[in-house]
Amino acid sequence: MDSALKQSCGCYFYEWKERALTDSVGYRRKFAIIMPSTNTVVEHDYSAMKIPGVTCHFGRIYLEDGAAGDNDAFEQLISQIRASTAEAVKVVMTCKPDYLVMGMSAETFWGGKAGNEAFTQRMKDLSGVEVSTGADACHKAAEVLGIKRIAVITPYQPVADDQVYTFFSETGLEVVRIKGLKCETATAIAEVQEDRLINELKEIDGDDIDAIVQVGTNLSMLRVAAEAERWLGKPVLAINAVTLWHALRANGIDDQIAGFGQLLGKH
């Protein structure tokens, strides 16, 4: 049987449904999360957004060199990710998860809409389960929230920003502005502090956009994005929150989580 956590009169109780229990902790779903070995933010963010009965199990894509200081270095980083992803998926799938979530976003935008579709199919073929990618999640979130025009913040170099621009444009969104922070290394992405992120959000905001989208899963935007929605008065979509939202809804889990933005809190 499956169970859903309900609330009545201030107390929680379980409602049992017809589904065989497969895991004593992940009794609703077990998610496999794939991320680069250099990433220090994804595990923190997914732990913060914890859902009863849903467990996250992390697989790391080995990166020997985290240099990302120019276009050539960033493309080499993508090449390393491509070379190591299959092994990371193979390892994490031994825990028999129900679903695969990409805790890395650059590769999911690469090649635009067709590139994302090919990448998603490759992950399905490797894992044997359905998949949520950051690119798909952002696209679906924009549809749900009625977003048409966006500004984007990334930790990337211009070569990756171009890929993000192409994907969003090909899926019907108007990218009014895109700001790449040009982080020198993969680990330096996690070192960007909140005060800089606040300034960057204010800089790229304007009356000509409906929302701000943040990509780059090692950029710590979970808390800042939720706060910024209040003082900007519009959606601010942090990639880790958006991708988890997409995975939950794709699995029929409708729990709303407060404190991480309106997407998870209301939709």
Side-chain angles (χ1 to χ4, degrees):
M1 292 183 291
D2 196 7
S3 60
L5 193 62
K6 305 288 186 178
Q7 188 175 26
S8 177
C9 301
C11 298
Y12 289 97
F13 64 94
Y14 292 108
E15 180 183 88
W16 296 98
K17 299 179 181 179
E18 291 302 321
R19 181 174 182 264
L21 285 173
T22 57
D23 190 279
S24 60
V25 181
Y27 48 83
R28 296 171 78 185
R29 285 296 185 274
K30 294 188 293 185
F31 288 165
I33 319 294
I34 301 296
M35 63 187 183
S37 58
T38 51
N39 193 301
T40 57
V41 169
V42 165
E43 287 166 313
H44 166 272
D45 283 2
Y46 276 68
S47 296
M49 299 182 288
K50 184 173 177 58
I51 296 286
V54 178
T55 54
C56 295
H57 312 279
F58 298 92
R60 289 183 173 268
I61 302 168
Y62 175 67
L63 299 183
E64 183 176 359
D65 182 3
D70 56 31
N71 283 341
D72 289 342
F74 200 95
E75 289 192 282
Q76 177 56 35
L77 200 68
I78 293 295
S79 294
Q80 290 183 73
I81 288 172
R82 289 171 179 164
S84 300
T85 298
E87 183 64 20
V89 173
K90 176 183 176 181
V91 171
V92 78
M93 290 306 296
T94 61
C95 75
K96 300 189 183 303
D98 302 296
Y99 197 81
L100 186 65
V101 183
M102 303 313 298
M104 40 80 76
S105 60
E107 174 71 337
T108 74
F109 290 98
W110 221 268
K113 186 174 183 289
N116 174 68
E117 289 171 354
F119 175 83
T120 302
Q121 187 59 54
R122 179 175 176 237
M123 294 302 102
K124 290 180 181 179
D125 292 343
L126 285 170
S127 66
V129 297
E130 294 297 310
V131 181
S132 283
T133 72
D136 277 335
C138 289
H139 176 222
K140 184 62 176 178
E143 288 184 339
V144 167
L145 295 173
I147 294 166
K148 301 297 183 183
R149 299 170 299 164
I150 61 172
V152 184
I153 182 169
T154 89
Y156 305 148
Q157 298 294 334
V159 66
D161 291 345
D162 289 345
Q163 302 294 327
V164 173
Y165 180 93
T166 297
F167 174 84
F168 283 133
S169 297
E170 290 180 352
T171 54
L173 289 171
E174 179 183 352
V175 182
V176 178
R177 283 177 293 282
I178 187 165
K179 175 63 180 291
L181 303 185
K182 300 179 180 178
C183 295
E184 289 291 319
T185 67
T187 51
I189 296 171
E191 297 167 3
V192 178
Q193 300 299 306
E194 288 188 352
D195 56 351
R196 182 182 180 188
L197 293 173
I198 290 169
N199 289 334
E200 298 289 358
L201 288 170
K202 291 177 178 178
E203 182 178 320
I204 66 172
D205 185 36
D207 294 337
D208 54 351
I209 61 170
D210 305 317
I212 296 174
V213 179
Q214 172 261 320
V215 304
T217 62
N218 206 26
L219 193 62
S220 184
M221 279 281 290
L222 197 63
R223 183 171 65 179
V224 172
E227 292 176 353
E229 288 190 335
R230 293 195 292 272
W231 37 266
L232 294 178
K234 64 188 61 173
V236 181
L237 303 178
I239 190 76
N240 290 336
V242 175
T243 309
L244 178 62
W245 166 83
H246 186 271
L248 291 169
R249 302 304 180 252
N251 282 272
I253 298 172
D254 296 326
D255 299 47
Q256 296 176 343
I257 319 172
F260 303 105
Q262 62 178 278
L263 187 67
L264 268 173
K266 297 180 180 179
H267 299 277

